Amino acid sequence: MSELELRGVEVTYRRDGRAVRAVDGVDLSVAPGEVVGLVGESGCGKSSLARAAVGLLAPSAGEVLLDGHAVAPLRRRARPAAQRRLQLVFQDPYSSLNPRRRVGRQLSDAVRLATGTTAGSARVAELLELVGLDPAMAQRYPHELSGGQRQRIAVARALAAEPVQLVADEPISALDASAQAQVADLFVTLARKLGIGVLFISHDLAIVREIADRIAVMYLGRVVEIGPTAQVWDRPRHPYTAALTAAVPRADGAGTLPQDLPGDVPDPAAPPSGCHFHPRCPLAIDDCSTRDPRLLDLTPDHAAACILLEDEPAVPGR
Amino acid sequence: MSTPAEPTADPTVDTATDARAIGVLTRSPWRQPLAVIGIVVIVGWLLVAVLAPMIAPADPLAQTFGKLSPPSAEHPFGTDNLNRDVLSRVLHGARISIPLAMLLVVLSAVVGAIMGGIAGYFGGWVDAAIMRVTDLVFAFPAIILAMAVSAALGPGLSNAVLALTIVLWPGYARVIRGLVLSAGQQEYVQASRLLGSSALRTLTVELGPSVAGPVLVLVALDVGNAILLLSGLSFLGLGAQPPAAEWGAMVSAGTAVFDSWWVGLFPGLAILTVVLGFNFLGDTIRDALDPRTARAIRS
Amino acid sequence: MALLEVTGLRVRLPRRGGWTSVVDGIDLAVDAGEVLGVAGESGSGKTMSALALLGLLPHGARTEGSARFAGRELVGMGEQQLRDVRGKEIAMVFQDPATALHPMLPVRTLLTEHARHHLGISKQDAGKRALELLEQVRIPDPARTLHAYPHELSGGMRQRVAIAAALACGPKLLLADEPTTALDVTVQAGILRLLDRLRRETGLAVIVITHDLGVISALADRVVVMRGGVVVEDGRTSEVLTSPTHEYTRSLLEALPPAHRGSAS
């Protein structure tokens, strides 16, 4: 079992002398071969969570476990070999590849760094084929490639470490529409074919719905709903999840305007009292501004944090 | 899975400046008059430095040519107050000023790279301490501080080089620290850390090349500066000692015999041309590394 | 007679001694109160077409063909006249509101300086107009926002301010280039609703340039699909998206997850 497990992870950073809690106690796990989608608006702490999950940021509380062992935050020393099997794919394939080095060189370097073995051109070719690219790409420089091709290279570099878990932080949002779907599919293929667990972070609920086995919805540092994709998408239990799904415009030619959710994600330095979502929530009642909802198990694998559910736990499907 | 049929990136609108910079350096200087002048002047002076014993008409220290004779066919630059041939002394002077200036700039760059690298890499109080030292150096005009240090160390060329290294390294330390800090935030650097690269390896292997370009520009621009400072110290009697044929010392000697303009003018022109040459070269490299101007140069 | 009628528009850029066509003879038209969607991926020439209409192309570019706007020919129009048309009658909104708004100016100035220049109205009237504009784009607490600087606003609010600034001189046509691409879906929905309301209430014609067929579906009456500088398909949005005739349009639709297509929801 090579599970990735986040337990009560908090990420705090200082801004203007004040502590800002970007991630506020997140529990999350990704099983081998599973794709977990994490969605939320910008500013909800998704990226901080991704960085904490792989050790680029030190959590201020809680812990990250890979295969039962704590993932140590990255310091000056090289990362322990066991933890190299947890890799991150960055959002922007323009800055995540070294512009000065050929693709093949970057991949063979990655193999040597992560596994300590020398990578021949055969291994490099294999990595490129794994991500659906022509092995001849090894000779190219990143700037000669399209965004989609670059992101595949970035994935190939992560695969050089023979990962058991991949965290992908908005890996498709910098790509053209056609490349988006293809790169998203690539992660599913890797999960199914190589048994890699994938934590796929995106603001695009529709893409996540397409590829994820489970969806976690994040709002202002907290997971407000988590469950199997079909349930979360078709019967969202948290009003925020419902608002997110209703805001996706569909290319069906029907001319229907998507539902908007007024307001913005509040400043994490000054989160609203009670339920963080209550100022924007269409269903908010007085209690929402004072009571802090717990993540409530609705079924064994579906949970949501809303006091409307706490009050009537027995009534399924509002 | 098939290879996607995406439009490939437009090669003229890319983010990598390096290939472009190299292209500019190898192809297009010839379209820029200043770059050409700079390169020709520098190559010319380097040749003079190497070939001085062969091309100089006389021994630069020989005092046998008559006192303060104006330029003539026999002595194109005239002779000085100690009966020496000024042309030979100017040509030989290239053997002192240019290599010493280059040496001291390289020394400053190395010291600066180490200190700046340490500051950017360790951060915290180490960074703060190193940066306060650089602030201290920056608080004085370069020539004043160099005078003070070399006066304390005692006159002489090697002490002058040491003094100037002390004055010049903080500039490099600052630039390199900044580059290390900004490049350290690059995602490809973080990716290499996640693959198991130590911070030190990342610093040298991944960041080295990104830092090299800007430092090269600084070095080229600074050689001219160093020649000026070195000559300045010699002019003040703190650098090269008589009878060495050093340009600054020669200009200084020329001021004592102002009516014999040729004694100071020709070494002065030597300083001027070398400094300008290195400045033109530095500007060219900088423009080539800057994607905004590189495009203008190329098209 | 449409408000804007473009025929055979070509844009060529100088490149390595020769010329490259980035827009290769496109036709399109938009009426008052109508929303035209221009769909295509990066490099399709969709942004270049819009810039050509405004005479904002990069230096050295050549524009040919015809673009008749309210009875006047924009292609070949003098810089002075074009400047009058631009901002006053045709306004533009860009993808990234963070860079499209001057960071050192308060919202009030951002909204009124063009109005004062183009319409010659007084400072006081301009202030009133700015307040109206903020109300028109549904900014909460407009009186306070008037004195805010762009960096103090969220991405969605900045885009609303950018739209308000575009509307300041009462344009007849709004060119919106990927106006919601940088925004979250919830915020995007609000901007789409805003644009829809503006065209219904003020008769504003809108050309929305986007790679997102969902945005086109929600907003546009008609759509033009571009690829490689040419129009490969155009027609009513409902028809193009439900029964595309060109293979490229089909491939764009197939690249979308079913949830985006709407067919499998």
Side-chain angles (χ1 to χ4, degrees), chain C residues 153-186:
Chain C
L153 304 172
S154 69
M157 286 302 133
R158 275 198 289 249
Q159 194 61 296
R160 282 173 193 263
V161 169
I163 292 172
L167 297 178
C169 300
K172 299 190 181 89
L173 172 64
L174 183 69
L175 290 176
D177 187 4
E178 302 275 7
T180 58
T181 304
L183 306 175
D184 282 308
V185 277
T186 50

Side-chain angles (χ1 to χ4, degrees), chain C residues 184-200:
Chain C
D184 282 308
V185 277
T186 50
V187 180
Q188 165 174 284
I191 299 286
L192 296 181
R193 288 180 162 262
L194 168 64
L195 290 174
D196 186 62
R197 190 169 53 80
L198 286 172
R199 64 95 168 245
R200 277 188 287 109

Side-chain angles (χ1 to χ4, degrees), chain C residues 94-104 110 149-151 153-160 162 179 182-183:
Chain C
F94 297 92
Q95 171 172 348
D96 187 357
T99 55
L101 296 175
H102 195 298
M104 307 294 280
L110 289 169
Y149 287 84
H151 71 91
L153 304 172
S154 69
M157 286 302 133
R158 275 198 289 249
Q159 194 61 296
R160 282 173 193 263
L183 306 175

Side-chain angles (χ1 to χ4, degrees), chain A residues 249-256, chain C residues 213-214 217-218 237-238 241-242 253 260-263:
Chain A
R250 288 160 173 76
D252 52 9
T256 38
Chain C
L213 294 175
S217 170
T237 305
S238 51
L241 293 187
T242 49
L253 281 165
H260 267 323
R261 286 204 289 276
S263 51

Side-chain angles (χ1 to χ4, degrees), chain A residues 75-77 79 100 146 182, chain B residues 4 6 18 193-194 199:
Chain A
R75 302 252 181 262
R76 270 172 220 122
R77 274 168 205 276
R79 219 165 170 230
R100 287 169 171 75
S146 72
Q182 291 171 346
Chain B
E6 298 162 32
D18 323 293
R193 293 297 323 274
L194 288 176

